Amino acid sequence: TQLLEQSPQFLSIQEGENLTVYCNSSSVFSSLQWYRQEPGEGPVLLVTVVTGGEVKKLKRLTFQFGDARKDSSLHITAAQPGDTGLYLCAGAFLFYGSSNTGKLIFGQGTTLQVKP
Amino acid sequence: NAGVTQTPKFQVLKTGQSMTLQCAQDMNHNSMYWYRQDPGMGLRLIYYSASEGTTDKGEVPNGYNVSRLNKREFSLRLESAAPSQTSVYFCASSRDRANSPLHFGNGTRLTVT
């Protein structure tokens, strides 16, 4: 059972289109991070959201944290070929059992391909 | 600006062989982690070390051991490699646990035949 469900798993779009990636759980997060990974490299942090309802913008990327802190979304406006990569959400759980509290758990990832 | 350095970058093992993956960070971070990445599974936590001298199991610890040698170094050992351990392994570090951002190395691609 995946604790963090990320969707869609694959996305292939044309340059200039908009897209949204979702990250959902039945558990409450103390914070949620979004990473981007390029082939042959490790993931690199894009943003951390901490407060329920929080919205953060990074150029054409908009990140939202759900009011109940159980879900998050990443919206990309006017996607560019340079946005191509693997996007990963990662949640730090508040109440996921005593042995896992505080650990960072990753979703399956969304592979985005933006065609020119 | 080395950040997190992992060695080796690539490794091929036969079933039953052992090896150690090395990881070092130069950011004076307290916490270090080992993840494995498999297609469609995201990153799964193998072991982590919240601070020097402590280690704890993650989601998929079976078949692995770790050593936090000092504040900088955190190694991952496979005592008897199995084909199911074919994966890309990432080491990461963070200032504190969980809520701090992770800084990743560039990974070790391991194939077990």
Side-chain angles (χ1 to χ4, degrees):
Chain A
T1 304
Q2 195 77 23
L3 290 167
L4 259 180
E5 293 288 340
Q6 203 171 327
S7 62
Q9 289 197 36
F10 301 98
L11 202 50
S12 181
I13 61 174
Q14 293 295 134
E15 181 176 359
E17 290 184 10
N18 301 333
L19 67 116
T20 303
V21 176
Y22 299 93
C23 184
N24 294 293
S25 176
S26 57
S27 300
V28 178
F29 309 138
S30 60
S31 68
L32 191 133
Q33 300 172 12
W34 283 93
Y35 290 80
R36 179 165 166 244
Q37 183 180 17
E38 300 201 30
E41 298 181 6
V44 176
L45 180 74
L46 293 172
V47 76
T48 301
V49 286
V50 178
T51 306
E54 184 175 4
V55 176
K56 281 193 174 178
K57 292 196 174 187
L58 194 63
K59 296 183 182 176
R60 291 174 294 98
L61 278 61
T62 302
F63 303 86
Q64 187 157 9
F65 203 12
D67 290 341
R69 290 187 293 162
K70 292 184 178 181
D71 57 87
S72 181
S73 63
L74 157 60
H75 182 78
I76 301 180
T77 304
Q80 305 292 313
D83 296 328
T84 293
L86 176 67
Y87 290 82
L88 294 153
C89 64
F93 287 90
L94 270 178
F95 304 117
Y96 176 55
S98 59
S99 64
N100 286 297
T101 300
K103 291 180 189 171
L104 202 61
I105 305 295
F106 281 81
Q108 310 100 309
T110 296
T111 299
L112 172 64
Q113 180 188 44
V114 182
K115 293 180 276 192
Chain B
N1 251 18
V4 178
T5 304
Q6 287 183 240
T7 56
K9 285 193 167 185
F10 301 94
Q11 184 72 49
V12 179
L13 292 177
K14 292 189 189 317
T15 297
Q17 287 185 319
S18 63
M19 79 160 295
T20 300
L21 280 63
Q22 307 286 353
C23 175
Q25 53 92 7
D26 62 3
M27 295 171 283
N28 201 36
H29 284 168
N30 291 312
S31 300
M32 296 186 74
Y33 312 80
W34 278 104
Y35 286 89
R36 60 178 288 174
Q37 186 172 38
D38 303 290
M41 303 289 287
L43 286 155
R44 291 182 291 170
L45 182 64
I46 305 171
Y47 269 94
Y48 72 102
S49 171
S51 61
E52 186 179 354
T54 69
T55 61
D56 207 349
K57 295 178 181 178
E59 302 167 80
V60 289
N62 291 346
Y64 305 95
N65 284 302
V66 290
S67 294
R68 183 75 182 265
L69 304 168
N70 47 57
K71 192 170 185 179
R72 288 187 66 247
E73 298 171 288
F74 189 38
S75 62
L76 178 72
R77 182 158 178 86
L78 286 70
E79 289 292 351
S80 179
S84 61
Q85 293 178 306
T86 293
S87 187
V88 182
Y89 291 85
F90 286 97
C91 177
S93 70
S94 67
R95 191 187 69 233
D96 305 301
R97 284 178 62 182
N99 284 342
S100 300
L102 298 183
H103 296 258
F104 286 87
N106 283 333
T108 295
R109 186 173 292 276
L110 175 67
T111 302
V112 183
T113 61

